[in-house]
Amino acid sequence: MIDPPKLLTVGRVAAELGEPLHRVTRVLATRKHIQPSAFAGTLRLFDRRAVARIRYELNLIDARRCRKPALSESEAGHDN
């Protein structure tokens, strides 16, 4: 049996991407090509493809602003 797709709310998308909620909502408000996969009442639900598009748009914004994303301790390395 095929599992149903995992759909995420805007808040869950923000938490998964490690971004503030206002950045994700701004991307969704200004990028009309990113559409929810479903609705649960008034909640918008996004699939993995939409989450990837949101991540791409956030990275694009950061690149345009020359803003480096925060590195985790494992990524940063400890060069002394």
Side-chain angles (χ1 to χ4, degrees):
M1 181 153 104
I2 299 174
D3 293 328
K6 183 177 179 187
L7 301 176
L8 303 171
T9 62
V10 177
R12 296 283 181 173
V13 171
E16 183 171 303
L17 298 178
E19 294 287 345
L21 180 61
H22 73 273
R23 290 194 77 203
V24 174
T25 55
R26 179 68 177 170
V27 165
L28 293 171
T30 58
R31 275 57 170 198
K32 299 301 179 189
H33 63 280
I34 304 174
Q35 294 294 317
S37 298
F39 289 90
T42 59
L43 293 176
R44 297 173 292 172
L45 301 173
F46 297 91
D47 61 8
R48 291 287 166 199
R49 183 173 291 171
V51 173
R53 289 180 181 147
I54 295 166
R55 180 184 295 115
Y56 173 80
E57 293 292 338
L58 290 168
N59 288 336
L60 190 61
I61 291 167
D62 290 342
R64 285 182 182 154
R65 292 184 179 174
C66 296
R67 179 177 164 190
K68 295 182 180 178
L71 296 177
S72 66
E73 287 184 29
S74 62
E75 293 173 333
H78 297 287
D79 297 334
N80 289 334

